[in-house]
Amino acid sequence: MVEIKPLRMPDFETVATWLSNPAINQWLASGWRGKQVDAKTLAIITMKSVNRLFLVRYQGVPCGLVALGCIDTLDKTGTLWYLLGNPAHSGRGTMTEAVRQVIRVAFSELGLRSIMASIMVGNISSRRVLEKNGFKEVGILRQALTFNGQAVDRILFDLLAVDLATPS
Amino acid sequence: MVLTRESLLNYLSTELGLHTDEIDDDTLLFSSSLLDSFSMVDLIAFIEKEAAISISPTEVSLDNLDSVERILKFVQNHS
Protein backbone atom coordinates (compact mmCIF):
# COMPACT_ATOMS: atom_id res chain seq x y z
CA MET A 1 0.00 0.00 0.00
CA VAL A 2 1.34 3.39 -1.05
CA GLU A 3 0.69 6.43 1.13
CA ILE A 4 1.96 9.98 1.28
CA LYS A 5 2.40 12.18 4.31
CA PRO A 6 3.78 15.71 4.68
CA LEU A 7 7.53 15.59 5.14
CA ARG A 8 8.45 16.43 8.70
CA MET A 9 11.52 16.52 10.91
CA PRO A 10 11.94 12.85 11.79
CA ASP A 11 12.24 11.96 8.11
CA PHE A 12 14.48 14.82 7.01
CA GLU A 13 17.65 12.76 7.44
CA THR A 14 16.36 9.90 5.31
CA VAL A 15 15.27 12.17 2.50
CA ALA A 16 18.48 14.22 2.72
CA THR A 17 20.43 10.99 2.18
CA TRP A 18 18.43 10.27 -0.97
CA LEU A 19 18.85 13.80 -2.31
CA SER A 20 22.61 13.63 -1.72
CA ASN A 21 22.97 10.24 -3.38
CA PRO A 22 24.88 10.95 -6.64
CA ALA A 23 22.71 8.46 -8.53
CA ILE A 24 19.65 10.51 -7.61
CA ASN A 25 21.21 13.95 -7.23
CA GLN A 26 22.31 14.05 -10.88
CA TRP A 27 18.65 14.17 -11.99
CA LEU A 28 17.60 17.00 -9.70
CA ALA A 29 17.11 20.66 -10.57
CA SER A 30 20.31 22.67 -10.71
CA GLY A 31 19.81 24.16 -7.26
CA TRP A 32 20.20 20.72 -5.73
CA ARG A 33 22.79 19.25 -8.04
CA GLY A 34 26.28 18.67 -6.70
CA LYS A 35 25.20 19.67 -3.21
CA GLN A 36 25.34 17.68 -0.02
CA VAL A 37 21.82 18.01 1.29
CA ASP A 38 21.22 17.80 5.03
CA ALA A 39 18.25 17.93 7.36
CA LYS A 40 18.69 21.66 7.76
CA THR A 41 18.24 22.19 4.03
CA LEU A 42 14.95 20.33 4.15
CA ALA A 43 13.87 22.31 7.20
CA ILE A 44 14.42 25.45 5.13
CA ILE A 45 12.60 24.13 2.09
CA THR A 46 9.59 22.96 4.08
CA MET A 47 9.16 26.14 6.09
CA LYS A 48 8.16 28.04 2.97
CA SER A 49 4.51 27.82 1.99
CA VAL A 50 5.33 27.65 -1.71
CA ASN A 51 6.75 24.18 -1.14
CA ARG A 52 4.84 21.07 -0.12
CA LEU A 53 6.95 17.97 0.29
CA PHE A 54 5.48 14.54 0.83
CA LEU A 55 7.20 11.42 2.03
CA VAL A 56 6.15 8.33 0.12
CA ARG A 57 5.81 5.16 2.12
CA TYR A 58 5.17 1.67 0.86
CA GLN A 59 3.72 -0.57 3.54
CA GLY A 60 4.91 1.95 6.10
CA VAL A 61 8.50 2.08 4.88
CA PRO A 62 9.82 5.38 3.43
CA CYS A 63 10.77 4.90 -0.21
CA GLY A 64 10.43 8.21 -2.03
CA LEU A 65 9.56 11.86 -2.15
CA VAL A 66 6.98 13.79 -4.14
CA ALA A 67 7.06 17.57 -4.00
CA LEU A 68 5.09 20.53 -5.19
CA GLY A 69 7.19 23.64 -5.53
CA CYS A 70 6.68 27.18 -6.79
CA ILE A 71 3.09 27.02 -5.55
CA ASP A 72 1.38 30.16 -6.77
CA THR A 73 -1.97 30.70 -5.11
CA LEU A 74 -2.80 33.62 -7.39
CA ASP A 75 -2.28 31.86 -10.70
CA LYS A 76 -3.13 28.52 -9.05
CA THR A 77 -0.07 26.73 -10.39
CA GLY A 78 2.65 24.53 -9.01
CA THR A 79 5.61 22.48 -10.13
CA LEU A 80 5.75 18.76 -9.45
CA TRP A 81 8.92 16.77 -8.89
CA TYR A 82 9.64 13.41 -7.36
CA LEU A 83 12.27 10.85 -6.65
CA LEU A 84 12.44 7.23 -5.76
CA GLY A 85 14.79 6.86 -2.81
CA ASN A 86 14.74 3.10 -2.74
CA PRO A 87 15.50 1.60 -6.19
CA ALA A 88 13.94 -1.70 -5.10
CA HIS A 89 10.58 -0.05 -5.79
CA SER A 90 11.42 0.79 -9.37
CA GLY A 91 8.85 -0.43 -11.88
CA ARG A 92 6.25 -1.29 -9.26
CA GLY A 93 4.07 1.73 -9.82
CA THR A 94 4.87 3.14 -6.40
CA MET A 95 5.73 6.62 -7.66
CA THR A 96 2.85 6.65 -10.09
CA GLU A 97 0.45 6.08 -7.23
CA ALA A 98 2.23 8.56 -4.94
CA VAL A 99 2.11 11.24 -7.64
CA ARG A 100 -1.58 10.50 -8.15
CA GLN A 101 -2.19 11.18 -4.46
CA VAL A 102 -0.21 14.43 -4.54
CA ILE A 103 -2.13 15.57 -7.61
CA ARG A 104 -5.31 15.06 -5.62
CA VAL A 105 -3.93 17.27 -2.85
CA ALA A 106 -2.85 19.89 -5.37
CA PHE A 107 -6.20 20.19 -7.07
CA SER A 108 -8.58 19.48 -4.21
CA GLU A 109 -6.85 20.80 -1.11
CA LEU A 110 -4.63 23.54 -2.52
CA GLY A 111 -7.05 24.54 -5.26
CA LEU A 112 -4.45 24.59 -8.01
CA ARG A 113 -5.55 24.80 -11.61
CA SER A 114 -2.41 23.59 -13.35
CA ILE A 115 0.59 21.50 -12.41
CA MET A 116 3.81 21.70 -14.38
CA ALA A 117 6.50 19.05 -14.49
CA SER A 118 9.58 18.44 -16.57
CA ILE A 119 11.96 15.64 -17.33
CA MET A 120 15.31 15.28 -18.97
CA VAL A 121 14.96 13.86 -22.47
CA GLY A 122 15.36 10.09 -22.31
CA ASN A 123 14.19 9.69 -18.72
CA ILE A 124 11.64 7.07 -19.65
CA SER A 125 10.63 5.94 -16.17
CA SER A 126 9.91 9.49 -15.07
CA ARG A 127 8.00 10.16 -18.27
CA ARG A 128 5.88 7.07 -17.60
CA VAL A 129 4.95 8.35 -14.14
CA LEU A 130 3.69 11.60 -15.65
CA GLU A 131 1.85 10.08 -18.57
CA LYS A 132 0.12 7.49 -16.42
CA ASN A 133 -1.20 10.39 -14.37
CA GLY A 134 -2.55 12.21 -17.38
CA PHE A 135 0.20 14.77 -17.91
CA LYS A 136 0.52 16.06 -21.47
CA GLU A 137 3.76 17.01 -23.15
CA VAL A 138 3.54 20.71 -23.92
CA GLY A 139 6.96 21.62 -25.20
CA ILE A 140 10.67 21.20 -25.23
CA LEU A 141 13.27 23.57 -23.87
CA ARG A 142 16.23 22.80 -26.06
CA GLN A 143 19.59 22.28 -24.35
CA ALA A 144 18.12 23.55 -21.09
CA LEU A 145 19.83 20.98 -18.90
CA THR A 146 23.39 19.85 -18.39
CA PHE A 147 23.93 16.15 -17.87
CA ASN A 148 27.40 14.61 -17.69
CA GLY A 149 28.75 17.82 -19.14
CA GLN A 150 26.47 17.67 -22.17
CA ALA A 151 23.60 20.00 -23.04
CA VAL A 152 20.35 18.05 -23.19
CA ASP A 153 16.74 18.98 -23.82
CA ARG A 154 14.17 19.44 -21.09
CA ILE A 155 10.67 18.19 -21.87
CA LEU A 156 7.80 20.10 -20.31
CA PHE A 157 4.49 18.60 -19.21
CA ASP A 158 1.39 19.95 -17.62
CA LEU A 159 -1.80 18.67 -16.11
CA LEU A 160 -4.93 20.73 -15.63
CA ALA A 161 -7.58 20.10 -13.06
CA VAL A 162 -10.13 20.17 -15.87
CA ASP A 163 -8.21 17.39 -17.65
CA LEU A 164 -9.04 15.07 -14.79
CA ALA A 165 -12.61 16.26 -14.58
CA THR A 166 -13.21 15.66 -18.28
CA PRO A 167 -13.28 12.04 -19.51
CA SER A 168 -10.83 11.62 -22.40
CA MET B 1 33.29 34.81 17.41
CA VAL B 2 30.47 37.28 17.20
CA LEU B 3 27.96 37.85 14.46
CA THR B 4 27.52 41.58 14.12
CA ARG B 5 24.83 43.45 12.30
CA GLU B 6 27.50 44.86 10.01
CA SER B 7 28.97 41.49 9.10
CA LEU B 8 25.51 40.06 8.50
CA LEU B 9 24.49 42.92 6.24
CA ASN B 10 27.80 42.71 4.43
CA TYR B 11 27.23 39.00 3.76
CA LEU B 12 23.67 39.59 2.57
CA SER B 13 24.95 42.24 0.21
CA THR B 14 28.17 40.80 -1.16
CA GLU B 15 27.38 37.09 -1.16
CA LEU B 16 23.62 36.93 -1.57
CA GLY B 17 23.12 40.03 -3.69
CA LEU B 18 20.62 41.88 -1.52
CA HIS B 19 20.46 45.64 -1.71
CA THR B 20 20.87 46.09 2.01
CA ASP B 21 20.27 49.81 1.82
CA GLU B 22 16.71 48.93 0.84
CA ILE B 23 15.96 46.57 3.70
CA ASP B 24 15.26 47.28 7.33
CA ASP B 25 16.14 45.08 10.26
CA ASP B 26 12.61 43.74 10.30
CA THR B 27 12.31 43.16 6.55
CA LEU B 28 11.31 39.56 5.95
CA LEU B 29 14.05 37.91 3.96
CA PHE B 30 12.80 34.42 3.28
CA SER B 31 9.02 34.47 3.51
CA SER B 32 9.02 37.52 1.24
CA SER B 33 11.20 35.63 -1.28
CA LEU B 34 14.07 38.11 -1.09
CA LEU B 35 16.14 35.01 -0.40
CA ASP B 36 15.50 31.64 -1.94
CA SER B 37 15.94 28.32 -0.16
CA PHE B 38 19.49 27.72 -1.29
CA SER B 39 20.53 31.22 -0.28
CA MET B 40 19.12 30.43 3.15
CA VAL B 41 21.27 27.32 3.30
CA ASP B 42 24.32 29.46 2.61
CA LEU B 43 23.19 32.11 5.07
CA ILE B 44 22.79 29.58 7.86
CA ALA B 45 26.26 28.20 7.15
CA PHE B 46 27.60 31.75 7.38
CA ILE B 47 25.82 32.40 10.67
CA GLU B 48 27.13 29.15 12.13
CA LYS B 49 30.68 29.97 11.12
CA GLU B 50 30.60 33.62 12.09
CA ALA B 51 28.90 33.07 15.46
CA ALA B 52 30.64 29.75 16.11
CA ILE B 53 27.37 28.00 16.82
CA SER B 54 25.64 24.94 15.46
CA ILE B 55 22.07 25.44 14.35
CA SER B 56 19.95 22.32 14.52
CA PRO B 57 17.15 21.57 12.05
CA THR B 58 14.62 22.16 14.82
CA GLU B 59 15.89 25.73 15.16
CA VAL B 60 15.45 26.45 11.47
CA SER B 61 12.30 28.53 11.51
CA LEU B 62 10.94 31.82 10.27
CA ASP B 63 10.74 33.00 13.89
CA ASN B 64 14.49 32.63 14.23
CA LEU B 65 15.85 33.45 10.79
CA ASP B 66 13.47 35.52 8.69
CA SER B 67 14.97 38.97 9.28
CA VAL B 68 18.20 40.64 10.34
CA GLU B 69 16.62 41.47 13.68
CA ARG B 70 15.45 37.89 14.27
CA ILE B 71 18.80 36.42 13.28
CA LEU B 72 20.74 38.68 15.63
CA LYS B 73 18.32 37.97 18.46
CA PHE B 74 18.43 34.25 17.81
CA VAL B 75 22.24 34.19 17.81
CA GLN B 76 22.36 36.32 20.93
CA ASN B 77 20.11 33.88 22.79
CA HIS B 78 21.74 30.77 21.39
CA SER B 79 23.55 28.83 24.03
Side-chain angles (χ1 to χ4, degrees):
Chain A
M1 178 190 153
V2 179
E3 58 182 355
I4 59 166
K5 68 166 192 170
L7 184 65
R8 296 280 182 260
M9 186 67 70
D11 297 306
F12 284 170
E13 290 289 351
T14 300
V15 174
T17 303
W18 296 338
L19 289 163
S20 300
N21 179 349
I24 294 172
N25 184 275
Q26 64 179 339
W27 298 101
L28 302 178
S30 59
W32 298 91
R33 247 178 286 155
K35 289 199 170 81
Q36 196 66 30
V37 180
D38 60 13
K40 238 176 291 182
T41 306
L42 288 167
I44 292 167
I45 303 285
T46 55
M47 75 179 174
K48 204 160 190 182
S49 60
V50 296
N51 298 313
R52 293 287 194 100
L53 277 65
F54 299 89
L55 182 73
V56 181
R57 297 192 299 186
Y58 181 78
Q59 294 183 342
V61 180
C63 63
L65 177 76
V66 182
L68 287 167
C70 303
I71 295 171
D72 185 329
T73 53
L74 191 62
D75 285 332
K76 302 182 187 302
T77 58
T79 301
L80 178 86
W81 60 281
Y82 43 86
L83 64 90
L84 187 61
N86 183 349
H89 288 269
S90 182
R92 291 185 183 177
T94 304
M95 293 310 292
T96 299
E97 173 55 27
V99 164
R100 181 170 295 129
Q101 293 181 29
V102 171
I103 289 169
R104 201 175 303 139
V105 172
F107 288 148
S108 302
E109 190 181 310
L110 303 179
L112 300 188
R113 189 165 52 204
S114 170
I115 303 172
M116 194 274 273
S118 67
I119 63 165
M120 188 181 300
V121 67
N123 188 344
I124 294 173
S125 57
S126 193
R127 180 183 195 104
R128 195 175 299 132
V129 168
L130 294 175
E131 290 180 339
K132 282 188 173 178
N133 277 296
F135 278 80
K136 302 272 193 295
E137 183 179 329
V138 292
I140 296 174
L141 291 174
R142 295 175 299 161
Q143 301 189 10
L145 295 169
T146 304
F147 188 70
N148 290 336
Q150 301 292 315
V152 293
D153 294 347
R154 180 182 178 200
I155 306 176
L156 306 178
F157 292 80
D158 75 7
L159 177 68
L160 304 181
V162 293
D163 290 343
L164 296 185
T166 309
S168 54
Chain B
M1 295 176 75
V2 177
L3 177 72
T4 64
R5 182 176 179 279
E6 289 66 35
S7 64
L8 178 56
L9 288 174
N10 184 56
Y11 182 82
L12 290 171
S13 171
T14 59
E15 301 298 326
L16 301 183
L18 288 191
H19 295 289
T20 48
D21 52 341
E22 295 175 7
I23 65 170
D24 298 318
D25 282 4
D26 60 354
T27 299
L28 300 180
L29 302 173
F30 189 57
S31 57
S32 66
S33 295
L34 279 176
L35 294 181
D36 65 18
S37 301
F38 294 105
S39 294
M40 278 300 287
V41 172
D42 294 339
L43 175 60
I44 288 174
F46 168 77
I47 295 167
E48 287 181 316
K49 185 180 172 200
E50 196 73 4
I53 60 173
S54 178
I55 300 172
S56 77
T58 55
E59 294 172 317
V60 175
S61 68
L62 296 176
D63 284 346
N64 289 336
L65 301 166
D66 204 19
S67 69
V68 168
E69 182 181 47
R70 291 181 195 183
I71 291 169
L72 293 174
K73 187 178 173 190
F74 167 68
V75 169
Q76 190 179 7
N77 295 335
H78 199 280
S79 55

